Amino acid sequence: MKKDTKSPLRDLRQPATVSEPPKVTFPCDYSLKVVGDAADDFPAWVCQVIVKHAPDFDETTLQVVDSRNGRFQSVRVTIVATGEQQLSSLFDELKATGRVHMVV
């Protein structure tokens, strides 16, 4: 006799359920990784932009990681995010300069 068990596979004939992304509750600690071309002034420049949008930014949270071949740098920081508008403005300014390849 066969047991009635649910298959772990999804029935592709049925539409997938779309879940909403998790909502962030502000204010909160928010980690950022800013990736750009390696340069001596890149970490300091990233800090200058961040301080405009998060004046209480603690520079001791800054970590700089060079890529394997030294062509890129990632600057990792944690800020206190106060809202979506703040984050959007910060991301827009970082990307608009042309020095940043990616903000995560």
Side-chain angles (χ1 to χ4, degrees):
M1 185 155 64
K2 213 173 188 181
K3 289 184 182 180
D4 188 285
T5 60
K6 286 192 171 186
S7 171
L9 300 176
R10 183 175 68 83
D11 184 353
L12 296 176
R13 296 171 292 186
Q14 302 297 322
T17 56
V18 178
S19 61
E20 291 186 29
K23 300 204 183 233
V24 177
T25 304
F26 295 103
C28 65
D29 287 345
Y30 194 88
S31 297
L32 293 167
K33 181 166 76 168
V34 182
V35 180
D37 293 323
D40 291 337
D41 69 332
F42 186 68
W45 173 81
V46 170
C47 286
Q48 288 175 347
V49 174
I50 289 174
V51 167
K52 289 182 195 176
H53 299 276
D56 57 348
F57 166 62
D58 180 8
E59 291 186 25
T60 62
T61 66
L62 180 114
Q63 295 177 325
V64 180
V65 177
D66 294 325
S67 66
R68 196 172 323 155
N69 63 6
R71 184 173 171 208
F72 301 104
Q73 284 180 319
S74 69
V75 177
R76 299 169 188 199
V77 298
T78 301
I79 65 169
V80 176
T82 57
E84 289 182 29
Q85 180 60 41
Q86 174 203 33
L87 294 175
S88 179
S89 297
L90 174 59
F91 288 8
D92 289 345
E93 184 172 350
L94 287 168
K95 291 178 183 178
T97 64
R99 294 189 74 178
V100 173
H101 297 288
M102 179 175 60
V103 180
V104 183

